[in-house]
Amino acid sequence: MAQSTTPMEDAMRAKLTEALKPTTLEIYNDSHLHSHHKAMQGVTSKETHFRVVITSDKFKEARMQPARHRMVYALLKDELAQEGGIHALQLKTRTLDEEERQKQKEQAE
Amino acid sequence: MFSRRAFAPAFRAATRATRLPSATAPRFLTPMQMRMLSDDMRQAIDKAVASAPVVLFMKGTPETPQCGFSRASIQILGMQGVDPEKFTAFNVLEDNELRSGIKEYSEWPTIPQLYVDKEFVGGCDILMTMHQDGSLAKMLEEKGVLVPPENDAETPK
């Protein structure tokens, strides 16, 4: 059986896609930037540090950022809890409207 | 910039005093056991969260952060002009129980974590977003935790 070289990323993508139906889902693996970091000693996984950009109207259910982040944390609970799993997770959680507005703002600048 | 009060010894004292006899605790815990937050730990964290108007749970100390996200958070608080007198940082790397306890307490799986007036604000990304959109400055101002403006400062031209 062929094994994915990015099992963690695959699992994240599958879970986030299914639950949030995102219009944008970008997953960046920044683990190589942190492999020297002391907490990573003895960790062989190449998938420990992620940066994820999610745009989903599911976030309309939760206006405040901490609530949105918690939605994502809950979805990735197992991946965060497991030994050698996700160590750091940077999140950008926006609704479609918010993403549009920010893009317009950036273009105006 | 943000030099004093690196680590409040109050928390260590509090946790030590209320800590369960850990010598008898099994060295390796199952995930289920690890997730259980003892009442003692909860009380100790209650105290820690209430120990200053602005409380950061971080890796390392403000002078020598041990993680980039903790470093960024400290820098943001410094840039915002948080009054060091109203700030306390707790180094979770000094206490494994605190490190796992705070995650459970806040229902937040990562460090750093910021509390203002005993209320959970968020982690580094949220801090950064709020720093950029101005809502952090607004909140800190409203909570009265910034360094008071100096009266002898130059008059604006």
Side-chain angles (χ1 to χ4, degrees):
Chain A
M1 197 172 78
Q3 268 204 331
S4 166
T5 54
T6 56
M8 189 66 84
E9 187 176 328
D10 299 348
M12 289 167 70
R13 192 177 300 281
K15 288 187 179 178
L16 296 174
T17 301
E18 195 199 333
L20 299 174
K21 310 273 184 294
T23 47
T24 302
L25 176 61
E26 295 164 18
I27 300 180
Y28 301 93
N29 182 350
D30 291 337
S31 306
H32 61 285
L33 301 173
H34 302 269
S35 52
H36 63 284
H37 160 178
K38 207 169 163 195
M40 292 296 99
Q41 269 174 11
V43 174
T44 51
S45 169
K46 298 283 180 216
E47 298 187 276
T48 53
H49 292 67
F50 287 97
R51 186 157 46 89
V52 183
V53 180
I54 310 169
T55 303
S56 164
D57 276 350
K58 284 265 182 206
F59 290 136
K60 282 181 178 168
E61 293 164 21
R63 205 172 59 84
M64 305 303 282
Q65 288 294 334
R68 290 179 183 178
H69 285 209
R70 282 199 176 106
M71 286 167 75
V72 177
Y73 293 148
L75 291 169
L76 303 178
K77 195 164 163 254
D78 297 341
E79 287 74 14
L80 282 157
Q82 79 193 47
E83 194 73 28
I86 301 174
H87 176 83
L89 185 58
Q90 282 180 266
L91 293 175
K92 191 172 236 177
T93 48
R94 296 180 295 191
T95 62
L96 198 52
D97 282 353
E98 290 166 354
E99 185 189 38
E100 286 297 319
R101 247 179 289 142
Q102 277 180 17
K103 272 188 187 157
Q104 281 172 9
K105 215 170 131 190
E106 276 161 31
Q107 277 169 3
E109 271 163 17
Chain B
M1 180 171 63
F2 213 69
S3 50
R4 281 156 303 280
R5 312 196 80 208
F7 179 81
F11 186 82
R12 265 198 287 181
T15 46
R16 293 286 139 75
T18 58
R19 186 176 275 181
L20 290 168
S22 57
T24 59
R27 173 104 169 70
F28 297 103
L29 298 172
T30 68
M32 196 54 215
Q33 285 170 310
M34 279 200 302
R35 245 172 251 172
M36 298 230 271
L37 182 56
S38 73
D39 287 350
D40 286 355
M41 196 59 195
R42 185 171 288 281
Q43 277 170 20
I45 296 176
D46 278 340
K47 265 189 213 162
V49 162
S51 65
V54 182
V55 176
L56 185 73
F57 295 89
M58 64 180 292
K59 290 184 180 172
T61 63
E63 287 94 343
T64 50
Q66 298 293 316
C67 153
F69 303 108
S70 289
R71 179 189 303 275
S73 301
I74 282 290
Q75 282 172 342
I76 289 173
L77 295 176
M79 276 188 277
Q80 290 284 344
V82 169
D83 187 345
E85 292 294 315
K86 293 179 177 167
F87 172 77
T88 302
F90 291 103
N91 180 2
V92 304
L93 297 181
E94 290 205 345
D95 188 332
N96 246 324
E97 256 189 288
L98 169 62
R99 185 174 176 175
S100 53
I102 190 66
K103 294 178 183 178
E104 183 83 354
Y105 182 93
S106 311
E107 296 173 65
W108 198 262
T110 52
I111 312 284
Q113 299 183 8
L114 181 74
Y115 278 81
V116 176
D117 268 354
K118 296 189 260 184
E119 234 173 275
F120 180 75
V121 176
C124 183
D125 291 331
I126 288 174
L127 219 55
M128 183 63 87
T129 309
M130 290 177 73
H131 176 62
Q132 285 165 349
D133 71 14
S135 56
L136 184 63
K138 187 162 166 277
M139 181 190 63
L140 296 172
E141 175 87 66
E142 281 170 6
K143 299 280 186 188
V145 295
L146 300 178
V147 176
E150 287 176 42
N151 294 325
D152 57 350
E154 278 183 274
T155 45
K157 282 161 197 152

